[in-house]
Amino acid sequence: MPADPQNEPPCGPRHVAIIMDGNGRWAEARGRPRLYGHHAGARRVREVVEACPGLGIKYLTIFAFSTENWKRTQVEVAGLMSLFKRYIIKETRTLAQNGIRVRFIGDRVRLDAKLIELMDTLERETANNDLVHLTVALNYGGRDEVARATKRLARDVAAGNLRPEDVDEETLPRYLDTRVLPDPDLVIRTSGEARISNFLLWQSAYSEYEFIDTLWPDFTAAELERLCKSFGSRERRFGAVPA
C-alpha cells in the first residue's frame, strides 16, 4: 500500500543554522549608519522564525554576535547590546504565545547583568514551547565553545566522574552549549562570504552549506523555502558509499 504523503517526514532540513551577515553593508549602501542595518536584520528574524513550521524546520539557530565582534567600534557594540535588549523585551510575549522555545548559547560572562536577566527571562517564559526551537548564539565562538566544553570535561575527569579512556567523539558533545540540540542539517550564510566564521565548528562537521549573495536584511521566507527545497534534492552520505 503506498505511503500517505501527509504522514511522510519532510525531506527538507529539520535544523537550519544561519550566519546572518551583511547588515552593515546593507545600511552603508543606503547611506545609513551600520546600526540601521542591524535593526533591519532584527526585524527579518521574525519573518524567518514564522516561516519555519510550514517548512518542517523544528530547530533554527542564528548567529547574532560572535566572540570576535567585540573588536568592532564601541558605538556599534553598544548599539548591538541595546538592540538585543530591546528585541527581547519586544518579542518575548509573541515568541511565548506562538510556541517558540528560545535558548541562548555562548559565554555570558562578558555580557552585562541586565541583558543576562532578559535572556534568562525569555528562556524561562518559553521553556514549555515546542513548535520551533530558536537558538540564539550571543557572544559565541566555536573554538571558545569547544575550549569551555573541554574544561568542563577535564573537571569531571579530575573529579573521578569520567575515565580518560572512556572519552571519545560521543563524549564532548555532551559538554557543548548545544548538547540538547541535534546537529544542523543545513547552514546558510548570507552576504556572499564563503567562510564559516567560527560558527558551530563541531556540530556542522556533516552539515550541508549554502553561501548566498543576499544580504541578511533582504533575506526572505521565500528564499529560505528555496534553499530548503534544494537541500531536499541532495544525497547525504555521511562518509559512506551508497549501496
Side-chain angles (χ1 to χ4, degrees), residues 107-199:
D107 189 354
R108 302 189 184 193
V109 171
R110 198 169 177 180
L111 304 177
D112 72 63
K114 179 59 177 177
L115 178 55
I116 294 172
E117 179 185 347
L118 290 169
M119 292 161 63
D120 288 340
T121 299
L122 180 53
E123 287 183 325
R124 186 171 58 250
E125 291 292 324
T126 62
N128 294 323
N129 290 345
D130 190 50
L131 181 63
V132 175
H133 291 247
L134 172 62
T135 302
V136 181
L138 185 54
N139 194 30
Y140 172 87
R143 290 180 174 179
D144 176 73
E145 179 191 26
V146 171
R148 288 185 288 105
T150 304
K151 289 178 184 178
R152 289 192 288 267
L153 188 155
R155 293 191 192 105
D156 274 354
V157 170
N161 299 323
L162 181 66
R163 299 189 308 167
E165 57 268 27
D166 291 335
V167 176
D168 58 23
E169 67 180 71
E170 302 298 325
T171 307
L172 185 63
R174 300 200 297 265
Y175 293 84
L176 294 174
D177 296 352
T178 57
R179 54 192 169 274
V180 299
L181 302 173
D183 290 342
D185 302 298
L186 173 65
V187 179
I188 301 168
R189 182 178 184 135
T190 60
S191 87
E193 304 290 352
R195 57 180 179 269
I196 60 176
S197 294
N198 201 17
F199 184 49

